[in-house]
Amino acid sequence: MARKATPQPQGILAADGAVVIRSMRAEETDFQQYLQWMTDPETMKYWEGMTVRFTYERVVEEYRENLREQVWPCFMEYEGRAVGYCQFCTLDAAYFEIPQAGYDAFTGPEDAVFGIDMFLGETALRGRGLGTRTLKLLLHALFDRYGADAVMIDPKTHNTRAIRCYRKAGFQDLFVVPSRELQDGVYHDSLIMGIRKKDAFV
């Protein structure tokens, strides 16, 4: 089944006290903030890789490409300041670049399936539970506002901090796709993880 369309988010997607998820804005402040994160080695070693070089122009073009692909970019805020990034889109197996059999074993034929990515760009806030809290908030929005039946995520197997966060939020390990993602000249394995609406927050 082909990817299902979902409307582009505008403004605030979800909020819980000091934690807010909002759509990324097409303005210099957000582009410069994202560029700052994309030039931080502590983020890049798990995101795009240490050999990838970002410029302001590249940030703007990737933002526009995401919108063309209906991959919706968002900022995570804490106490009124941007602290991280997340994005989401609808999926099918081909778009997610995973085996159809593994995708079908987790999803149903009529399911609205979403994929997400996220990182905390402010390193001082890592390891304090904010990532899990923000992830749960994003899941609530996808299940309650966007009609998701299932959500999938694909950390590299060596990204143990992220995997712990996803498991704490309720994701289960599904399967590993070997040599799926090229980073810094090396193909890395991806751990495909998923959570269904009926299993979330129980």
Side-chain angles (χ1 to χ4, degrees):
M1 177 176 291
R3 292 174 65 201
K4 298 179 179 180
T6 187
Q8 180 179 355
Q10 300 290 339
I12 294 176
L13 278 72
D16 177 19
V19 179
V20 173
I21 300 173
R22 65 164 174 85
S23 56
M24 184 177 176
R25 307 182 186 109
E27 59 185 39
E28 183 176 359
T29 301
D30 278 9
F31 292 147
Q32 290 286 8
Q33 177 63 79
Y34 189 76
L35 177 61
Q36 178 182 323
W37 292 328
M38 289 296 94
T39 52
D40 178 2
E42 288 302 310
T43 296
M44 291 300 284
K45 67 182 179 181
Y46 294 115
W47 191 254
E48 296 280 358
M50 302 295 287
T51 58
V52 175
R53 297 292 177 261
F54 270 79
T55 63
Y56 184 87
E57 292 73 21
R58 177 169 180 169
V59 167
V60 173
E61 178 52 38
E62 288 201 358
Y63 173 83
R64 292 171 176 165
E65 177 63 22
N66 277 340
L67 298 191
R68 288 192 291 268
E69 291 285 325
Q70 294 194 341
V71 177
W72 305 128
C74 301
F75 273 15
M76 304 182 298
E77 294 185 345
Y78 179 64
E79 296 183 341
R81 68 185 181 101
V83 297
Y85 174 84
C86 60
Q87 63 187 27
F88 66 92
C89 66
T90 53
L91 293 181
D92 59 19
Y95 189 81
F96 203 32
E97 298 180 335
I98 63 173
Q100 186 71 49
Y103 180 87
D104 290 345
F106 180 67
T107 66
E110 301 301 320
D111 281 349
V113 184
F114 283 67
I116 61 174
D117 296 290
M118 65 178 293
F119 64 78
L120 273 178
E122 300 303 311
T123 56
L125 295 176
R126 294 175 185 172
R128 295 168 52 180
L130 184 58
T132 303
R133 181 178 172 185
T134 308
L135 177 54
K136 287 182 177 180
L137 189 61
L138 176 60
L139 290 174
H140 270 297
L142 295 181
F143 288 133
D144 296 340
R145 294 185 56 186
Y146 288 91
D149 297 296
V151 177
M152 303 178 78
I153 199 166
D154 59 345
K156 301 175 187 70
T157 54
H158 68 274
N159 193 353
T160 54
R161 180 192 296 270
I163 291 169
R164 285 197 302 269
C165 172
Y166 304 152
R167 287 172 177 161
K168 284 171 62 178
F171 280 83
Q172 60 176 298
D173 299 1
L174 300 178
F175 52 90
V176 172
V177 180
S179 303
R180 177 169 172 266
E181 188 168 350
L182 180 64
Q183 178 181 302
D184 297 331
V186 177
Y187 280 95
H188 293 272
D189 300 347
S190 294
L191 174 62
I192 308 303
M193 308 177 74
I195 184 171
R196 295 190 61 82
K197 181 177 182 178
K198 65 181 180 63
D199 301 319
F201 321 119
V202 294

